[in-house]
Short mmCIF file of all heavy atoms in Angstrom, two decimals:
data_model
loop_
_atom_site.label_atom_id
_atom_site.label_comp_id
_atom_site.label_asym_id
_atom_site.label_seq_id
_atom_site.Cartn_x
_atom_site.Cartn_y
_atom_site.Cartn_z
N VAL A 154 101.35 77.00 150.35
CA VAL A 154 100.15 76.34 150.89
C VAL A 154 99.00 76.36 149.88
O VAL A 154 98.67 77.41 149.33
CB VAL A 154 99.70 77.03 152.21
CG1 VAL A 154 98.43 76.40 152.75
CG2 VAL A 154 100.82 76.94 153.25
N GLN A 155 98.42 75.18 149.66
CA GLN A 155 97.23 75.14 148.80
C GLN A 155 95.99 75.04 149.69
O GLN A 155 96.03 74.40 150.73
CB GLN A 155 97.29 73.98 147.81
CG GLN A 155 97.11 72.62 148.41
CD GLN A 155 96.89 71.55 147.35
OE1 GLN A 155 96.40 71.83 146.26
NE2 GLN A 155 97.26 70.32 147.66
N GLN A 156 94.95 75.70 149.25
CA GLN A 156 93.69 75.64 149.98
C GLN A 156 92.64 75.01 149.11
O GLN A 156 92.43 75.42 147.98
CB GLN A 156 93.24 77.06 150.34
CG GLN A 156 94.13 77.72 151.37
CD GLN A 156 93.43 78.90 152.00
OE1 GLN A 156 93.15 79.87 151.32
NE2 GLN A 156 93.13 78.82 153.29
N ILE A 157 92.00 73.99 149.66
CA ILE A 157 90.89 73.37 148.93
C ILE A 157 89.61 73.81 149.63
O ILE A 157 89.44 73.58 150.83
CB ILE A 157 91.01 71.84 148.98
CG1 ILE A 157 92.31 71.40 148.31
CG2 ILE A 157 89.81 71.18 148.33
CD1 ILE A 157 92.57 69.92 148.38
N LEU A 158 88.75 74.47 148.88
CA LEU A 158 87.47 74.87 149.45
C LEU A 158 86.58 73.64 149.52
O LEU A 158 86.25 73.05 148.48
CB LEU A 158 86.82 75.95 148.58
CG LEU A 158 85.43 76.38 149.00
CD1 LEU A 158 85.41 77.00 150.39
CD2 LEU A 158 84.84 77.36 148.00
N LEU A 159 86.21 73.22 150.72
CA LEU A 159 85.39 72.01 150.87
C LEU A 159 83.91 72.32 150.70
O LEU A 159 83.20 71.64 149.97
CB LEU A 159 85.63 71.37 152.24
CG LEU A 159 87.02 70.78 152.48
CD1 LEU A 159 87.19 70.34 153.92
CD2 LEU A 159 87.28 69.60 151.54
N ARG A 160 83.48 73.34 151.41
CA ARG A 160 82.06 73.71 151.28
C ARG A 160 81.83 75.06 151.92
O ARG A 160 82.69 75.59 152.63
CB ARG A 160 81.16 72.66 151.94
CG ARG A 160 81.26 72.60 153.45
CD ARG A 160 80.24 71.60 153.98
NE ARG A 160 80.35 71.44 155.42
CZ ARG A 160 79.39 71.71 156.28
NH1 ARG A 160 78.22 72.16 155.86
NH2 ARG A 160 79.55 71.51 157.57
N HIS A 161 80.65 75.60 151.67
CA HIS A 161 80.21 76.82 152.35
C HIS A 161 79.14 76.43 153.36
O HIS A 161 78.19 75.73 153.02
CB HIS A 161 79.58 77.80 151.34
CG HIS A 161 80.62 78.53 150.53
ND1 HIS A 161 81.33 79.57 151.03
CD2 HIS A 161 81.05 78.33 149.27
CE1 HIS A 161 82.16 80.02 150.12
NE2 HIS A 161 82.02 79.27 149.02
N GLU A 162 79.30 76.87 154.59
CA GLU A 162 78.32 76.55 155.62
C GLU A 162 77.47 77.79 155.90
O GLU A 162 78.02 78.88 156.06
CB GLU A 162 79.08 76.12 156.89
CG GLU A 162 78.19 75.50 157.92
CD GLU A 162 78.96 75.01 159.15
OE1 GLU A 162 80.17 75.21 159.24
OE2 GLU A 162 78.28 74.44 160.03
N ARG A 163 76.16 77.62 155.93
CA ARG A 163 75.28 78.78 156.16
C ARG A 163 75.51 79.37 157.55
O ARG A 163 75.73 78.64 158.52
CB ARG A 163 73.80 78.37 156.06
CG ARG A 163 73.33 77.97 154.69
CD ARG A 163 73.08 79.13 153.77
NE ARG A 163 71.86 79.89 154.03
CZ ARG A 163 70.72 79.71 153.40
NH1 ARG A 163 70.60 78.76 152.48
NH2 ARG A 163 69.67 80.47 153.66
N TYR A 164 75.46 80.70 157.64
CA TYR A 164 75.47 81.36 158.94
C TYR A 164 74.05 81.34 159.50
O TYR A 164 73.07 81.42 158.75
CB TYR A 164 75.87 82.83 158.81
CG TYR A 164 77.35 83.09 158.89
CD1 TYR A 164 78.02 83.73 157.84
CD2 TYR A 164 78.08 82.75 160.02
CE1 TYR A 164 79.38 84.00 157.92
CE2 TYR A 164 79.44 83.02 160.10
CZ TYR A 164 80.09 83.64 159.06
OH TYR A 164 81.42 83.91 159.14
N ILE A 165 73.94 81.25 160.83
CA ILE A 165 72.66 81.43 161.49
C ILE A 165 72.85 82.56 162.52
O ILE A 165 73.98 82.90 162.87
CB ILE A 165 72.17 80.13 162.19
CG1 ILE A 165 73.29 79.55 163.06
CG2 ILE A 165 71.70 79.12 161.16
CD1 ILE A 165 72.85 78.33 163.86
N VAL A 166 71.73 83.12 162.97
CA VAL A 166 71.81 84.24 163.91
C VAL A 166 71.64 83.70 165.33
O VAL A 166 70.71 82.93 165.59
CB VAL A 166 70.68 85.27 163.63
CG1 VAL A 166 70.91 86.53 164.45
CG2 VAL A 166 70.60 85.60 162.16
N ALA A 167 72.55 84.08 166.22
CA ALA A 167 72.45 83.70 167.63
C ALA A 167 71.90 84.89 168.41
O ALA A 167 72.47 85.98 168.37
CB ALA A 167 73.82 83.31 168.16
N LEU A 168 70.77 84.66 169.09
CA LEU A 168 70.07 85.77 169.79
C LEU A 168 69.79 85.38 171.25
O LEU A 168 69.59 84.19 171.55
CB LEU A 168 68.71 86.03 169.12
CG LEU A 168 68.73 86.36 167.63
CD1 LEU A 168 67.58 85.66 166.92
CD2 LEU A 168 68.62 87.86 167.45
N PRO A 169 69.75 86.37 172.14
CA PRO A 169 69.33 86.06 173.52
C PRO A 169 67.91 85.51 173.49
O PRO A 169 67.11 85.89 172.63
CB PRO A 169 69.37 87.42 174.23
CG PRO A 169 70.19 88.31 173.35
CD PRO A 169 70.05 87.80 171.96
N VAL A 170 67.56 84.62 174.45
CA VAL A 170 66.24 83.97 174.40
C VAL A 170 65.07 84.96 174.44
O VAL A 170 64.02 84.70 173.86
CB VAL A 170 66.05 82.95 175.57
CG1 VAL A 170 66.71 81.65 175.28
CG2 VAL A 170 66.54 83.53 176.89
N ASP A 171 65.27 86.11 175.11
CA ASP A 171 64.15 87.05 175.22
C ASP A 171 64.21 88.16 174.16
O ASP A 171 63.53 89.18 174.26
CB ASP A 171 64.14 87.69 176.63
CG ASP A 171 65.47 88.36 176.94
OD1 ASP A 171 66.40 88.28 176.08
OD2 ASP A 171 65.60 88.97 178.02
N HIS A 172 65.01 87.93 173.13
CA HIS A 172 65.12 88.96 172.06
C HIS A 172 63.83 88.95 171.23
O HIS A 172 63.26 87.88 170.97
CB HIS A 172 66.33 88.61 171.18
CG HIS A 172 66.73 89.71 170.26
ND1 HIS A 172 66.04 89.99 169.10
CD2 HIS A 172 67.75 90.61 170.32
CE1 HIS A 172 66.62 91.00 168.48
NE2 HIS A 172 67.67 91.40 169.20
N PRO A 173 63.35 90.12 170.80
CA PRO A 173 62.11 90.17 170.00
C PRO A 173 62.18 89.30 168.73
O PRO A 173 61.14 88.84 168.24
CB PRO A 173 61.97 91.65 169.63
CG PRO A 173 62.89 92.39 170.53
CD PRO A 173 63.89 91.44 171.10
N LEU A 174 63.39 89.06 168.19
CA LEU A 174 63.48 88.26 166.96
C LEU A 174 63.77 86.78 167.26
O LEU A 174 64.00 85.99 166.34
CB LEU A 174 64.59 88.81 166.05
CG LEU A 174 64.37 90.24 165.52
CD1 LEU A 174 65.59 90.71 164.72
CD2 LEU A 174 63.12 90.30 164.64
N ALA A 175 63.74 86.41 168.56
CA ALA A 175 64.17 85.06 168.94
C ALA A 175 63.33 83.95 168.32
O ALA A 175 63.80 82.82 168.22
CB ALA A 175 64.20 84.93 170.46
N GLY A 176 62.10 84.26 167.91
CA GLY A 176 61.27 83.21 167.31
C GLY A 176 61.10 83.37 165.81
O GLY A 176 60.29 82.68 165.20
N VAL A 177 61.86 84.28 165.21
CA VAL A 177 61.62 84.61 163.80
C VAL A 177 62.69 83.99 162.91
O VAL A 177 63.88 84.27 163.08
CB VAL A 177 61.63 86.16 163.61
CG1 VAL A 177 61.27 86.51 162.17
CG2 VAL A 177 60.71 86.83 164.60
N ASN A 178 62.26 83.16 161.96
CA ASN A 178 63.22 82.58 161.02
C ASN A 178 63.33 83.41 159.75
O ASN A 178 62.60 84.38 159.58
CB ASN A 178 62.80 81.14 160.66
CG ASN A 178 63.63 80.15 161.47
OD1 ASN A 178 64.80 80.40 161.79
ND2 ASN A 178 63.01 79.04 161.83
N ASP A 179 64.25 83.02 158.88
CA ASP A 179 64.47 83.72 157.61
C ASP A 179 64.69 85.22 157.81
O ASP A 179 64.09 86.07 157.14
CB ASP A 179 63.28 83.49 156.65
CG ASP A 179 63.29 82.06 156.13
OD1 ASP A 179 64.34 81.38 156.29
OD2 ASP A 179 62.28 81.64 155.57
N LEU A 180 65.57 85.53 158.77
CA LEU A 180 65.86 86.94 159.05
C LEU A 180 66.68 87.55 157.92
O LEU A 180 67.42 86.85 157.22
CB LEU A 180 66.64 87.04 160.37
CG LEU A 180 65.82 86.73 161.63
CD1 LEU A 180 66.74 86.51 162.83
CD2 LEU A 180 64.84 87.87 161.90
N ARG A 181 66.53 88.86 157.77
CA ARG A 181 67.36 89.61 156.81
C ARG A 181 68.33 90.46 157.61
O ARG A 181 67.98 90.96 158.68
CB ARG A 181 66.50 90.54 155.95
CG ARG A 181 65.57 89.81 155.04
CD ARG A 181 64.47 90.75 154.55
NE ARG A 181 63.36 89.99 154.02
CZ ARG A 181 63.24 89.63 152.75
NH1 ARG A 181 64.13 90.00 151.88
NH2 ARG A 181 62.21 88.92 152.35
N LEU A 182 69.53 90.65 157.06
CA LEU A 182 70.55 91.39 157.80
C LEU A 182 70.09 92.80 158.23
O LEU A 182 70.37 93.22 159.35
CB LEU A 182 71.86 91.45 157.01
CG LEU A 182 72.59 90.10 156.94
CD1 LEU A 182 73.78 90.18 155.99
CD2 LEU A 182 73.06 89.66 158.31
N PRO A 183 69.37 93.55 157.36
CA PRO A 183 68.93 94.88 157.81
C PRO A 183 68.09 94.83 159.09
O PRO A 183 68.10 95.76 159.88
CB PRO A 183 68.12 95.41 156.62
CG PRO A 183 68.70 94.69 155.44
CD PRO A 183 69.05 93.32 155.93
N GLN A 184 67.39 93.70 159.33
CA GLN A 184 66.58 93.60 160.56
C GLN A 184 67.46 93.54 161.81
O GLN A 184 66.98 93.70 162.93
CB GLN A 184 65.73 92.31 160.53
CG GLN A 184 64.56 92.34 159.60
CD GLN A 184 63.88 90.97 159.56
OE1 GLN A 184 64.26 90.10 158.79
NE2 GLN A 184 62.89 90.78 160.41
#
Side-chain angles (χ1 to χ4, degrees):
V154 178
Q155 71 168 334
Q156 291 198 294
I157 299 176
L158 175 62
L159 293 173
R160 69 176 176 119
H161 282 283
E162 192 177 3
R163 292 282 285 263
Y164 271 122
I165 50 176
V166 189
L168 302 139
V170 279
D171 56 358
H172 193 283
L174 297 175
V177 185
N178 260 327
D179 288 346
L180 289 166
R181 294 162 197 270
L182 289 172
Q184 286 174 273

